[in-house]
Amino acid sequence: MDIDSITFRPPTDQDGHALHLLVSRCPPLDTNSVYCNLLQCSDFADTAIAAVADDGRLLGFISGYRPPRRPDTIFVWQVAVDEAARGLGLGSRMLLALVRRLAPKGVRFIETTISPGNDASEALFRKVFGVLEAPWDRTLLFSRETHFDGQHDDELLYRAGPFTLPVPEQAS
């Protein structure tokens, strides 16, 4: 697969079911209801990005939102990359494309949560933070014991910014 044949675009509600299937194929991501995925593709389309193959298959997706008390921030909820597109740098390209789209709207910070041991997600975000030349920190946001009754790993908050402008086209 060639990365240049993949198109990035805002999602539509027509992507909701495909998103649900994509996330289910991307452990350790938590699956949400199809209804939630439909909302991510419709009501949250401005803060999401879909990566689509020439044949229309959804190969990647980032869902996020702008926290009401921090409108200068994009909180990235999930990054999903289909197995067929792994190793192409798709995750970092989608994330940078989303930040480029939101920067003119005042976004200067990126947040996400990552569970300890999710080395792939940590590597992705650290790479993008480096491309953006953004200082970053990591703190405990949700505790396994306090927030998840021991049923889910801790969620560490990664926050980077302010990032440099203009946002680079891609990670090297």
Side-chain angles (χ1 to χ4, degrees):
M1 174 160 301
D2 178 19
I3 189 73
D4 294 326
S5 68
I6 299 173
T7 303
F8 298 152
R9 61 167 172 74
T12 70
D13 59 3
Q14 298 301 308
D15 296 313
H17 189 257
L19 171 58
H20 186 75
L21 296 174
L22 174 63
V23 170
S24 72
R25 296 189 310 268
C26 295
L29 295 180
D30 292 329
T31 54
N32 299 298
S33 69
V34 175
Y35 183 72
C36 176
N37 294 139
L38 286 167
L39 291 174
Q40 289 171 307
C41 293
S42 58
D43 288 356
F44 294 92
D46 288 345
T47 53
I49 193 163
V52 182
D54 287 342
D55 63 5
R57 286 180 298 139
L58 184 66
L59 294 175
F61 194 90
I62 293 178
S63 58
Y65 65 95
R66 292 174 71 178
R69 287 179 268 161
R70 295 182 313 283
D72 62 349
T73 301
I74 176 68
F75 183 95
V76 176
W77 185 351
Q78 285 184 322
V79 178
V81 176
D82 189 89
E83 188 174 346
R86 292 190 187 146
L88 301 175
L90 183 59
S92 59
R93 288 174 185 248
M94 286 190 301
L95 190 49
L96 289 168
L98 181 61
V99 170
R100 267 193 316 281
R101 182 172 6 121
L102 295 173
K105 298 176 182 181
V107 170
R108 296 290 180 270
F109 294 86
I110 303 172
E111 292 180 345
T112 194
T113 58
I114 303 173
S115 295
N118 188 338
D119 298 335
S121 288
E122 183 174 353
L124 166 66
F125 279 89
R126 289 182 71 162
K127 178 180 182 179
V128 169
F129 296 164
V131 170
L132 295 173
E133 300 178 0
W136 64 277
D137 61 14
R138 175 181 59 202
T139 58
L140 178 64
L141 182 63
F142 297 121
S143 160
R144 175 185 181 102
E145 296 308 319
T146 303
H147 299 98
F148 298 115
D149 194 28
Q151 303 300 308
H152 187 288
D153 289 334
D154 290 339
E155 289 285 349
L156 303 176
L157 177 68
Y158 287 68
R159 179 171 169 82
F163 52 78
T164 61
L165 296 176
V167 176
E169 284 294 316
Q170 63 189 23
S172 12

